[in-house]
Amino acid sequence: MTLRDQIEEDNCDIFFDFDELAKEVHIDGRPVPVVEDGEQLDKYRQMGIMEGQLLVYVRTGSLPRIPEPGDAMRYGTRQLWVESAKEDMGILELVLRSRR
């Protein structure tokens, strides 16, 4: 295992700990540990970068593929669309919105 692999694994184990930050949400019918981050989304909005309504982090491998902007996604009971998807160190940042 490389150092990068170990760091990614450690980041995910800590970040997606249900006792700390994570909760389980069904994404497209699949249970996925997620961390919602309203503060970072507010920062993006203030900078004029994003207009989304929800920012979530998921493990990169938790979804069958990395979504692309414009993709539809069922998040819990809500139908949302991907505004942005960025992957870094095993963590996928998704900005979602309710309309295309």
Side-chain angles (χ1 to χ4, degrees):
M1 178 179 285
T2 67
L3 178 60
R4 179 179 175 88
D5 293 337
Q6 184 63 51
I7 291 170
E8 285 182 19
E9 184 176 314
D10 290 348
N11 284 346
C12 287
D13 288 344
I14 294 166
F15 194 63
F16 293 104
D17 183 346
F18 287 110
D19 293 331
E20 298 295 328
L21 298 171
K23 68 179 188 176
E24 186 177 86
V25 173
H26 281 77
I27 297 179
D28 292 333
R30 172 188 306 235
V32 177
V34 304
V35 175
E36 296 179 354
D37 189 348
E39 291 179 29
Q40 183 63 40
L41 183 58
D42 287 341
K43 289 178 187 175
Y44 286 159
R45 285 182 187 145
Q46 290 171 3
M47 293 186 292
I49 297 174
M50 301 286 170
E51 294 294 325
Q53 287 134 342
L54 182 65
L55 185 147
V56 297
Y57 297 99
V58 301
R59 288 179 193 243
T60 301
S62 294
L63 301 176
R65 64 176 184 81
I66 296 176
E68 296 181 12
D71 285 354
M73 176 179 288
R74 179 145 309 272
Y75 186 86
T77 60
R78 300 164 57 188
Q79 181 71 33
L80 301 173
W81 283 264
V82 177
E83 183 174 329
S84 169
K86 297 187 292 188
E87 192 275 332
D88 187 33
M89 300 290 290
I91 297 174
L92 184 60
E93 178 193 82
L94 299 174
V95 177
L96 307 172
R97 61 177 186 252
S98 61
R99 294 190 200 115
R100 286 188 197 204

